[in-house]
Amino acid sequence: MTTAAPTSSSRDLPHPAREEIRLESVLHALSDPMRLQVVRELAAVGGELSCSHFDLPVTKSTTTHHFRVLRESGVIRQVYRGTAKMNGLRRSDLDGLFPGLLDSVLAAAAGQAARPGDG
């Protein structure tokens, strides 16, 4: 009896392998305020959050676009758990490839948010 190879689900989402993550793509993904907000929230919880957790002041299609940019750049990993699409920060990949980058960006974003008028 032979065992069939596992098949890819139509709900599997493409992600770059660690060695395919490019600095310019990561910086582009982090340059948008909405995407940076998503990354800040994911970093704060240190785990996964569903797409519905995020209350971004943009349309659903624009929110979907932002998550796709983050996923395709290698900043986040998205997986389906039941009917929910869960998002997690690829911190170990980013820290391994670009040491200190994520912490620096998050610290700068927190500092900017704390300034009067920039919250």
Side-chain angles (χ1 to χ4, degrees), residues 42-78:
L42 288 171
V45 300
E48 293 181 337
L49 293 171
S50 68
C51 288
S52 63
H53 165 84
F54 298 92
D55 186 25
L56 302 179
V58 294
T59 64
K60 184 176 179 181
S61 63
T62 300
T63 298
T64 300
H65 166 76
H66 286 312
F67 279 106
R68 182 176 51 79
V69 170
L70 288 166
R71 177 176 42 82
E72 290 179 351
S73 67
V75 174
I76 66 170
R77 179 165 303 282
Q78 291 186 305

mmCIF file of all heavy atoms in Angstrom, residues 42-78:
data_model
loop_
_atom_site.group_PDB
_atom_site.id
_atom_site.type_symbol
_atom_site.label_atom_id
_atom_site.label_comp_id
_atom_site.label_asym_id
_atom_site.label_seq_id
_atom_site.Cartn_x
_atom_site.Cartn_y
_atom_site.Cartn_z
ATOM 1 N N LEU A 42 0.930 42.991 16.657
ATOM 2 C CA LEU A 42 1.414 41.606 16.711
ATOM 3 C C LEU A 42 2.626 41.491 17.627
ATOM 4 O O LEU A 42 2.749 40.525 18.392
ATOM 5 C CB LEU A 42 1.757 41.102 15.309
ATOM 6 C CG LEU A 42 0.569 40.835 14.394
ATOM 7 C CD1 LEU A 42 1.043 40.568 12.973
ATOM 8 C CD2 LEU A 42 -0.267 39.680 14.920
ATOM 9 N N ALA A 43 3.520 42.462 17.572
ATOM 10 C CA ALA A 43 4.706 42.442 18.437
ATOM 11 C C ALA A 43 4.305 42.568 19.904
ATOM 12 O O ALA A 43 4.901 41.923 20.774
ATOM 13 C CB ALA A 43 5.666 43.561 18.048
ATOM 14 N N ALA A 44 3.289 43.366 20.183
ATOM 15 C CA ALA A 44 2.847 43.579 21.562
ATOM 16 C C ALA A 44 2.283 42.309 22.182
ATOM 17 O O ALA A 44 2.511 42.037 23.362
ATOM 18 C CB ALA A 44 1.815 44.702 21.619
ATOM 19 N N VAL A 45 1.554 41.507 21.394
ATOM 20 C CA VAL A 45 0.967 40.287 21.949
ATOM 21 C C VAL A 45 1.936 39.110 21.895
ATOM 22 O O VAL A 45 1.804 38.169 22.661
ATOM 23 C CB VAL A 45 -0.365 39.888 21.269
ATOM 24 C CG1 VAL A 45 -1.401 40.972 21.426
ATOM 25 C CG2 VAL A 45 -0.182 39.517 19.832
ATOM 26 N N GLY A 46 2.894 39.171 20.979
ATOM 27 C CA GLY A 46 3.871 38.089 20.884
ATOM 28 C C GLY A 46 3.302 36.769 20.406
ATOM 29 O O GLY A 46 3.924 35.727 20.552
ATOM 30 N N GLY A 47 2.130 36.800 19.835
ATOM 31 C CA GLY A 47 1.496 35.583 19.323
ATOM 32 C C GLY A 47 0.680 35.909 18.093
ATOM 33 O O GLY A 47 0.955 36.875 17.385
ATOM 34 N N GLU A 48 -0.333 35.113 17.865
ATOM 35 C CA GLU A 48 -1.178 35.287 16.690
ATOM 36 C C GLU A 48 -2.436 36.075 17.016
ATOM 37 O O GLU A 48 -2.968 35.979 18.122
ATOM 38 C CB GLU A 48 -1.597 33.927 16.124
ATOM 39 C CG GLU A 48 -0.466 33.116 15.554
ATOM 40 C CD GLU A 48 -0.949 31.791 14.990
ATOM 41 O OE1 GLU A 48 -2.030 31.294 15.397
ATOM 42 O OE2 GLU A 48 -0.252 31.247 14.126
ATOM 43 N N LEU A 49 -2.887 36.829 16.035
ATOM 44 C CA LEU A 49 -4.166 37.534 16.118
ATOM 45 C C LEU A 49 -4.916 37.305 14.814
ATOM 46 O O LEU A 49 -4.304 37.241 13.740
ATOM 47 C CB LEU A 49 -3.944 39.040 16.315
ATOM 48 C CG LEU A 49 -3.329 39.486 17.632
ATOM 49 C CD1 LEU A 49 -2.973 40.976 17.567
ATOM 50 C CD2 LEU A 49 -4.276 39.209 18.790
ATOM 51 N N SER A 50 -6.230 37.221 14.904
ATOM 52 C CA SER A 50 -7.032 37.045 13.688
ATOM 53 C C SER A 50 -7.138 38.368 12.949
ATOM 54 O O SER A 50 -6.991 39.449 13.541
ATOM 55 C CB SER A 50 -8.430 36.538 14.040
ATOM 56 O OG SER A 50 -9.146 37.551 14.725
ATOM 57 N N CYS A 51 -7.408 38.280 11.677
ATOM 58 C CA CYS A 51 -7.585 39.498 10.874
ATOM 59 C C CYS A 51 -8.692 40.366 11.458
ATOM 60 O O CYS A 51 -8.600 41.594 11.446
ATOM 61 C CB CYS A 51 -7.910 39.145 9.425
ATOM 62 S SG CYS A 51 -6.515 38.473 8.507
ATOM 63 N N SER A 52 -9.746 39.736 11.977
ATOM 64 C CA SER A 52 -10.879 40.502 12.509
ATOM 65 C C SER A 52 -10.523 41.265 13.784
ATOM 66 O O SER A 52 -11.247 42.176 14.167
ATOM 67 C CB SER A 52 -12.076 39.573 12.761
ATOM 68 O OG SER A 52 -11.755 38.619 13.753
ATOM 69 N N HIS A 53 -9.414 40.933 14.421
ATOM 70 C CA HIS A 53 -8.980 41.651 15.624
ATOM 71 C C HIS A 53 -8.605 43.097 15.303
ATOM 72 O O HIS A 53 -8.807 44.003 16.112
ATOM 73 C CB HIS A 53 -7.766 40.951 16.261
ATOM 74 C CG HIS A 53 -7.061 41.798 17.267
ATOM 75 N ND1 HIS A 53 -7.461 41.877 18.572
ATOM 76 C CD2 HIS A 53 -6.002 42.643 17.146
ATOM 77 C CE1 HIS A 53 -6.671 42.726 19.216
ATOM 78 N NE2 HIS A 53 -5.778 43.203 18.370
ATOM 79 N N PHE A 54 -8.080 43.330 14.107
ATOM 80 C CA PHE A 54 -7.547 44.638 13.745
ATOM 81 C C PHE A 54 -8.665 45.556 13.266
ATOM 82 O O PHE A 54 -9.460 45.184 12.422
ATOM 83 C CB PHE A 54 -6.477 44.488 12.655
ATOM 84 C CG PHE A 54 -5.309 43.672 13.106
ATOM 85 C CD1 PHE A 54 -5.282 42.299 12.898
ATOM 86 C CD2 PHE A 54 -4.252 44.258 13.773
ATOM 87 C CE1 PHE A 54 -4.220 41.531 13.336
ATOM 88 C CE2 PHE A 54 -3.180 43.500 14.223
ATOM 89 C CZ PHE A 54 -3.162 42.126 13.998
ATOM 90 N N ASP A 55 -8.692 46.739 13.828
ATOM 91 C CA ASP A 55 -9.705 47.723 13.471
ATOM 92 C C ASP A 55 -9.020 48.866 12.727
ATOM 93 O O ASP A 55 -8.768 49.925 13.290
ATOM 94 C CB ASP A 55 -10.419 48.226 14.729
ATOM 95 C CG ASP A 55 -11.575 49.150 14.420
ATOM 96 O OD1 ASP A 55 -12.128 49.050 13.305
ATOM 97 O OD2 ASP A 55 -11.919 49.982 15.282
ATOM 98 N N LEU A 56 -8.695 48.608 11.475
ATOM 99 C CA LEU A 56 -8.005 49.608 10.672
ATOM 100 C C LEU A 56 -9.035 50.532 10.020
ATOM 101 O O LEU A 56 -10.084 50.058 9.570
ATOM 102 C CB LEU A 56 -7.149 48.933 9.600
ATOM 103 C CG LEU A 56 -6.080 47.954 10.089
ATOM 104 C CD1 LEU A 56 -5.330 47.343 8.905
ATOM 105 C CD2 LEU A 56 -5.116 48.623 11.049
ATOM 106 N N PRO A 57 -8.746 51.831 9.949
ATOM 107 C CA PRO A 57 -9.708 52.788 9.385
ATOM 108 C C PRO A 57 -9.672 52.833 7.855
ATOM 109 O O PRO A 57 -9.564 53.901 7.239
ATOM 110 C CB PRO A 57 -9.244 54.120 9.992
ATOM 111 C CG PRO A 57 -7.766 53.958 10.151
ATOM 112 C CD PRO A 57 -7.573 52.493 10.514
ATOM 113 N N VAL A 58 -9.738 51.646 7.246
ATOM 114 C CA VAL A 58 -9.726 51.525 5.785
ATOM 115 C C VAL A 58 -10.749 50.464 5.393
ATOM 116 O O VAL A 58 -11.253 49.733 6.243
ATOM 117 C CB VAL A 58 -8.318 51.145 5.254
ATOM 118 C CG1 VAL A 58 -7.313 52.274 5.509
ATOM 119 C CG2 VAL A 58 -7.809 49.857 5.861
ATOM 120 N N THR A 59 -11.032 50.364 4.099
ATOM 121 C CA THR A 59 -11.993 49.375 3.630
ATOM 122 C C THR A 59 -11.453 47.954 3.821
ATOM 123 O O THR A 59 -10.245 47.754 3.991
ATOM 124 C CB THR A 59 -12.306 49.576 2.133
ATOM 125 O OG1 THR A 59 -11.115 49.339 1.385
ATOM 126 C CG2 THR A 59 -12.842 50.971 1.855
ATOM 127 N N LYS A 60 -12.356 46.991 3.746
ATOM 128 C CA LYS A 60 -11.948 45.596 3.886
ATOM 129 C C LYS A 60 -10.961 45.188 2.800
ATOM 130 O O LYS A 60 -9.982 44.484 3.061
ATOM 131 C CB LYS A 60 -13.178 44.678 3.859
ATOM 132 C CG LYS A 60 -12.836 43.229 4.102
ATOM 133 C CD LYS A 60 -14.061 42.344 4.170
ATOM 134 C CE LYS A 60 -13.622 40.916 4.391
ATOM 135 N NZ LYS A 60 -14.750 40.003 4.443
ATOM 136 N N SER A 61 -11.190 45.654 1.571
ATOM 137 C CA SER A 61 -10.277 45.286 0.488
ATOM 138 C C SER A 61 -8.887 45.900 0.703
ATOM 139 O O SER A 61 -7.868 45.269 0.402
ATOM 140 C CB SER A 61 -10.844 45.694 -0.881
ATOM 141 O OG SER A 61 -10.975 47.099 -0.967
ATOM 142 N N THR A 62 -8.827 47.098 1.258
ATOM 143 C CA THR A 62 -7.534 47.724 1.543
ATOM 144 C C THR A 62 -6.841 46.997 2.693
ATOM 145 O O THR A 62 -5.623 46.781 2.660
ATOM 146 C CB THR A 62 -7.713 49.225 1.861
ATOM 147 O OG1 THR A 62 -8.319 49.852 0.728
ATOM 148 C CG2 THR A 62 -6.388 49.895 2.167
ATOM 149 N N THR A 63 -7.612 46.585 3.691
ATOM 150 C CA THR A 63 -7.044 45.801 4.791
ATOM 151 C C THR A 63 -6.446 44.504 4.255
ATOM 152 O O THR A 63 -5.326 44.129 4.607
ATOM 153 C CB THR A 63 -8.128 45.501 5.851
ATOM 154 O OG1 THR A 63 -8.594 46.735 6.392
ATOM 155 C CG2 THR A 63 -7.589 44.631 6.975
ATOM 156 N N THR A 64 -7.170 43.834 3.370
ATOM 157 C CA THR A 64 -6.682 42.601 2.757
ATOM 158 C C THR A 64 -5.379 42.857 2.009
ATOM 159 O O THR A 64 -4.432 42.065 2.093
ATOM 160 C CB THR A 64 -7.748 42.023 1.801
ATOM 161 O OG1 THR A 64 -8.931 41.744 2.559
ATOM 162 C CG2 THR A 64 -7.266 40.766 1.109
ATOM 163 N N HIS A 65 -5.310 43.961 1.298
ATOM 164 C CA HIS A 65 -4.089 44.331 0.581
ATOM 165 C C HIS A 65 -2.922 44.502 1.558
ATOM 166 O O HIS A 65 -1.816 44.003 1.310
ATOM 167 C CB HIS A 65 -4.314 45.621 -0.212
ATOM 168 C CG HIS A 65 -3.038 46.234 -0.700
ATOM 169 N ND1 HIS A 65 -2.329 45.730 -1.773
ATOM 170 C CD2 HIS A 65 -2.323 47.295 -0.235
ATOM 171 C CE1 HIS A 65 -1.239 46.465 -1.946
ATOM 172 N NE2 HIS A 65 -1.215 47.417 -1.036
ATOM 173 N N HIS A 66 -3.150 45.202 2.663
ATOM 174 C CA HIS A 66 -2.079 45.418 3.641
ATOM 175 C C HIS A 66 -1.560 44.092 4.209
ATOM 176 O O HIS A 66 -0.351 43.900 4.339
ATOM 177 C CB HIS A 66 -2.557 46.328 4.769
ATOM 178 C CG HIS A 66 -2.684 47.766 4.362
ATOM 179 N ND1 HIS A 66 -1.703 48.453 3.682
ATOM 180 C CD2 HIS A 66 -3.686 48.656 4.565
ATOM 181 C CE1 HIS A 66 -2.095 49.705 3.477
ATOM 182 N NE2 HIS A 66 -3.295 49.848 3.990
ATOM 183 N N PHE A 67 -2.455 43.182 4.541
ATOM 184 C CA PHE A 67 -2.026 41.875 5.051
ATOM 185 C C PHE A 67 -1.250 41.098 3.993
ATOM 186 O O PHE A 67 -0.266 40.428 4.304
ATOM 187 C CB PHE A 67 -3.222 41.056 5.555
ATOM 188 C CG PHE A 67 -3.652 41.447 6.938
ATOM 189 C CD1 PHE A 67 -4.805 42.187 7.140
ATOM 190 C CD2 PHE A 67 -2.902 41.086 8.044
ATOM 191 C CE1 PHE A 67 -5.203 42.563 8.412
ATOM 192 C CE2 PHE A 67 -3.289 41.447 9.323
ATOM 193 C CZ PHE A 67 -4.445 42.194 9.505
ATOM 194 N N ARG A 68 -1.666 41.199 2.737
ATOM 195 C CA ARG A 68 -0.954 40.503 1.668
ATOM 196 C C ARG A 68 0.462 41.056 1.508
ATOM 197 O O ARG A 68 1.418 40.289 1.361
ATOM 198 C CB ARG A 68 -1.728 40.612 0.345
ATOM 199 C CG ARG A 68 -1.051 39.845 -0.803
ATOM 200 C CD ARG A 68 -1.863 39.877 -2.091
ATOM 201 N NE ARG A 68 -2.279 41.185 -2.509
ATOM 202 C CZ ARG A 68 -1.508 42.076 -3.140
ATOM 203 N NH1 ARG A 68 -0.262 41.771 -3.437
ATOM 204 N NH2 ARG A 68 -1.980 43.250 -3.499
ATOM 205 N N VAL A 69 0.615 42.368 1.559
ATOM 206 C CA VAL A 69 1.953 42.973 1.456
ATOM 207 C C VAL A 69 2.829 42.498 2.607
ATOM 208 O O VAL A 69 3.993 42.119 2.406
ATOM 209 C CB VAL A 69 1.862 44.518 1.425
ATOM 210 C CG1 VAL A 69 3.239 45.155 1.571
ATOM 211 C CG2 VAL A 69 1.196 44.985 0.132
ATOM 212 N N LEU A 70 2.286 42.481 3.814
ATOM 213 C CA LEU A 70 3.058 42.014 4.976
ATOM 214 C C LEU A 70 3.452 40.546 4.826
ATOM 215 O O LEU A 70 4.583 40.164 5.130
ATOM 216 C CB LEU A 70 2.260 42.228 6.267
ATOM 217 C CG LEU A 70 2.116 43.679 6.727
ATOM 218 C CD1 LEU A 70 1.042 43.789 7.800
ATOM 219 C CD2 LEU A 70 3.451 44.219 7.218
ATOM 220 N N ARG A 71 2.529 39.719 4.343
ATOM 221 C CA ARG A 71 2.809 38.289 4.173
ATOM 222 C C ARG A 71 3.820 38.059 3.060
ATOM 223 O O ARG A 71 4.801 37.326 3.238
ATOM 224 C CB ARG A 71 1.515 37.528 3.875
ATOM 225 C CG ARG A 71 1.723 36.046 3.602
ATOM 226 C CD ARG A 71 0.418 35.291 3.411
ATOM 227 N NE ARG A 71 -0.574 35.967 2.620
ATOM 228 C CZ ARG A 71 -0.614 35.982 1.281
ATOM 229 N NH1 ARG A 71 0.316 35.362 0.580
ATOM 230 N NH2 ARG A 71 -1.581 36.611 0.641
ATOM 231 N N GLU A 72 3.620 38.678 1.917
ATOM 232 C CA GLU A 72 4.499 38.440 0.769
ATOM 233 C C GLU A 72 5.909 39.005 0.979
ATOM 234 O O GLU A 72 6.845 38.551 0.352
ATOM 235 C CB GLU A 72 3.873 39.011 -0.502
ATOM 236 C CG GLU A 72 2.656 38.211 -0.937
ATOM 237 C CD GLU A 72 1.976 38.753 -2.183
ATOM 238 O OE1 GLU A 72 2.333 39.873 -2.648
ATOM 239 O OE2 GLU A 72 1.075 38.065 -2.687
ATOM 240 N N SER A 73 6.048 39.971 1.888
ATOM 241 C CA SER A 73 7.376 40.514 2.186
ATOM 242 C C SER A 73 8.107 39.667 3.227
ATOM 243 O O SER A 73 9.304 39.836 3.427
ATOM 244 C CB SER A 73 7.264 41.951 2.692
ATOM 245 O OG SER A 73 6.630 41.971 3.959
ATOM 246 N N GLY A 74 7.359 38.777 3.899
ATOM 247 C CA GLY A 74 7.971 37.932 4.923
ATOM 248 C C GLY A 74 7.889 38.500 6.327
ATOM 249 O O GLY A 74 8.488 37.956 7.251
ATOM 250 N N VAL A 75 7.124 39.575 6.515
ATOM 251 C CA VAL A 75 7.005 40.185 7.841
ATOM 252 C C VAL A 75 6.064 39.368 8.722
ATOM 253 O O VAL A 75 6.313 39.209 9.915
ATOM 254 C CB VAL A 75 6.546 41.657 7.740
ATOM 255 C CG1 VAL A 75 6.276 42.252 9.115
ATOM 256 C CG2 VAL A 75 7.591 42.485 7.000
ATOM 257 N N ILE A 76 4.980 38.850 8.155
ATOM 258 C CA ILE A 76 4.038 38.044 8.926
ATOM 259 C C ILE A 76 3.834 36.691 8.254
ATOM 260 O O ILE A 76 4.134 36.513 7.078
ATOM 261 C CB ILE A 76 2.662 38.738 9.116
ATOM 262 C CG1 ILE A 76 1.915 38.891 7.780
ATOM 263 C CG2 ILE A 76 2.814 40.062 9.847
ATOM 264 C CD1 ILE A 76 0.474 39.350 7.916
ATOM 265 N N ARG A 77 3.314 35.759 9.047
ATOM 266 C CA ARG A 77 2.872 34.465 8.533
ATOM 267 C C ARG A 77 1.368 34.403 8.783
ATOM 268 O O ARG A 77 0.900 34.725 9.868
ATOM 269 C CB ARG A 77 3.571 33.315 9.253
ATOM 270 C CG ARG A 77 3.108 31.957 8.747
ATOM 271 C CD ARG A 77 3.996 30.815 9.160
ATOM 272 N NE ARG A 77 5.382 30.950 8.771
ATOM 273 C CZ ARG A 77 5.882 30.735 7.555
ATOM 274 N NH1 ARG A 77 5.085 30.383 6.568
ATOM 275 N NH2 ARG A 77 7.172 30.873 7.313
ATOM 276 N N GLN A 78 0.628 33.998 7.768
ATOM 277 C CA GLN A 78 -0.818 33.847 7.883
ATOM 278 C C GLN A 78 -1.191 32.386 7.693
ATOM 279 O O GLN A 78 -0.721 31.746 6.758
ATOM 280 C CB GLN A 78 -1.551 34.683 6.832
ATOM 281 C CG GLN A 78 -1.449 36.178 7.045
ATOM 282 C CD GLN A 78 -2.307 36.944 6.055
ATOM 283 O OE1 GLN A 78 -2.165 36.775 4.852
ATOM 284 N NE2 GLN A 78 -3.190 37.782 6.564
#
